[in-house]
Amino acid sequence: MNVSARMHILIIGIGNPLRSDDGLGWAVAEQLSQESNPGYVIRMVHQLTPELAQWMEAASRVILIDANREGEPGELHVRPLSPYAQPGAVGTHHTTPEELVVLTAAVYGRCPPIVVVTMTGANFGIGEQLSPIVAQRIPLVSAAVRQVCANDL
């Protein structure tokens, strides 16, 4: 694919919407998809897999949205990934963002800038509802994603 065709920002919401706060990535991706921004391509996945490298290579920038377990519930984290990430072996059951960076660069000869936006969840049990603290902070996560989209990395 030529460079001029890589004009969209790929936003990937990660998680399981049937596991309470683990569905955060999907909830934010759904909210952003309602904004109808033609510069965004929005996808939702249950987990990161090596096949995502093809989507990533075609983008000008990639933003991964996920819940995490580290920190206080409701904490927002925005972290650019280094193009020199040091992954472990790439697997099919669990792939890390760092592994995707290296895989995309190895297979396609390039990897766009990638930013991981996470929020610490409070409840990862079975359920379709986000915890109150995470649910009320979805606008904060969406705003962080929009800011990353607007800024040059």
Side-chain angles (χ1 to χ4, degrees):
M1 176 176 287
N2 69 38
V3 175
S4 64
R6 291 186 190 105
M7 299 308 295
H8 71 273
I9 295 172
L10 176 62
I11 298 171
I12 302 176
I14 307 160
N16 183 345
L18 299 176
R19 299 292 303 214
S20 301
D21 289 345
D22 195 41
L24 171 73
W26 283 47
V28 174
E30 287 174 354
Q31 182 181 59
L32 292 169
S33 70
Q34 293 177 9
E35 295 176 8
S36 300
N37 186 319
Y40 300 169
V41 172
I42 300 174
R43 302 281 188 249
M44 291 170 268
V45 299
H46 288 286
Q47 62 187 18
L48 297 178
T49 59
E51 294 80 9
L52 296 176
Q54 184 176 11
W55 290 352
M56 291 170 49
E57 184 277 334
S60 61
R61 179 174 306 163
V62 178
I63 302 167
L64 306 173
I65 309 163
D66 201 2
N68 70 37
R69 295 176 184 264
E70 296 178 20
E72 293 295 316
E75 275 184 9
L76 178 67
H77 304 273
V78 178
R79 142 182 101 91
L81 291 185
S82 167
Y84 308 105
Q86 296 296 315
V90 175
T92 58
H93 292 296
H94 178 72
T95 302
T96 67
E98 291 80 7
E99 290 167 347
L100 278 175
V101 167
V102 172
L103 179 65
T104 303
V107 172
Y108 296 101
R110 71 171 291 279
C111 185
I114 298 174
V115 175
V116 180
V117 177
T118 62
M119 179 166 283
T120 305
N123 177 13
F124 291 89
I126 294 173
E128 295 181 40
Q129 300 297 316
L130 298 172
S131 66
I133 190 163
V134 170
Q136 80 181 40
R137 291 180 178 242
I138 285 178
L140 179 66
V141 180
S142 295
V145 171
R146 283 191 295 279
Q147 183 172 357
V148 170
C149 289
N151 292 337
D152 289 330
L153 297 177

